[in-house]
Amino acid sequence: MNRSATRTTALLTAVALVGAGTALLAGCSTAAGTGPSATASAHASAGVLGAGFSDPDQPPAPEATIHPEPGSWSGVHAPDDYDVVLLSDAGDTADDAPTRTLVDAVESWAAAEDVHVTRVTAEDVDDRIAAVTRAIDDQADLVISVGNHMVDPLAAVSPTALHQQFLVVGAEIAEPTSNVTAVDWTGGGFRGEGLGPSSHYDPDTFTDERADRALRAGLAAVLHDLRGIVVWVR
């Protein structure tokens, strides 16, 4: 069996195990603080979306792309006691400048918003599925995924963990479930190994300013239940 086939078999096996382990958690999502009262409380403390973020009379369909007006997310902030997992690949974080920029953006935002961040890092290619599982096991309010190498593992595992919300920054999942929101721009757009970088992929567009803007726009969508979509920023 060649290396590609071996990895594919391992991936499918790992996903099956993850599915078995997360089914019980999915059934307990209300107990974990995701029921109607918890949602209403989160909205109240998260602030208000500005005009032009999305059309309140026509909510986006699943997998749709919205184009918020610049700054329409500036009134939204993390609720009290909000905590996130920052999910990345060790190789991306060490060697890939766009990923390092995104990591810095998350950490800077968290410091400004008094958000607790837990770092979960895949040590190598064989640890990526397990890293997603570790992120889910943390039971944070949100898992923020950065770096192209985590896109495929997240796409494989996220449908088995519908109780957990994910935000992908600077990339997308080809067929996201309702718990996976992405934020992207012209210059980003990686969608997995089968598709590769989009034709407009440009690492130079991963600037500090754009990373911060994208992160805040994506979080505003998640905090206001505009989930399972792509938020496209300028």
Side-chain angles (χ1 to χ4, degrees):
M1 183 179 295
N2 60 34
R3 180 175 298 178
S4 177
T6 299
R7 286 183 177 174
T8 299
T9 300
L11 177 66
L12 293 174
T13 300
V15 172
L17 292 173
V18 170
T22 56
L24 179 59
L25 288 174
C28 299
S29 59
T30 299
T34 57
S37 61
T39 300
S41 176
H43 284 181
S45 59
V48 180
L49 291 173
F53 190 87
S54 66
D55 186 347
D57 296 324
Q58 294 183 327
E63 302 183 38
T65 298
I66 64 172
H67 299 80
E69 289 295 322
S72 59
W73 51 80
S74 60
V76 179
H77 301 279
D80 293 340
D81 299 322
Y82 200 69
D83 67 314
V84 303
V85 167
L86 175 54
L87 177 65
S88 62
D89 176 81
D92 282 343
T93 303
D95 303 325
D96 184 65
T99 302
R100 291 198 302 272
T101 297
L102 297 175
V103 167
D104 290 345
V106 174
E107 293 182 337
S108 296
W109 162 80
E113 299 269 328
D114 195 23
V115 170
H116 179 263
V117 177
T118 299
R119 291 287 302 272
V120 173
T121 304
E123 296 304 322
D124 52 40
V125 62
D126 295 323
D127 188 43
R128 290 171 186 164
I129 286 286
V132 180
T133 304
R134 293 196 299 272
I136 295 168
D137 288 345
D138 193 76
Q139 299 185 43
D141 293 301
L142 181 67
V143 174
I144 302 175
S145 178
V146 299
N148 291 347
H149 281 132
M150 295 310 300
V151 169
D152 283 327
L154 188 61
V157 177
S158 56
T160 70
L162 296 177
H163 62 288
Q164 177 65 64
Q165 290 298 319
F166 299 90
L167 177 64
V168 183
V169 184
E172 303 174 27
I173 288 178
E175 296 181 1
T177 42
S178 60
N179 58 329
V180 181
T181 304
V183 57
D184 223 334
W185 57 85
T186 301
F190 183 82
R191 301 181 68 195
E193 294 295 341
L195 298 172
S198 64
S199 59
H200 57 69
Y201 182 75
D202 181 0
D204 290 338
T205 64
F206 286 72
T207 63
D208 294 338
E209 188 277 334
R210 180 174 280 109
D212 178 73
R213 180 164 20 118
L215 175 63
R216 291 177 182 274
L219 286 159
V222 170
L223 290 170
H224 284 271
D225 288 338
L226 298 170
R227 302 168 177 172
I229 63 171
V230 175
V231 180
W232 197 270
V233 297
R234 300 176 189 174

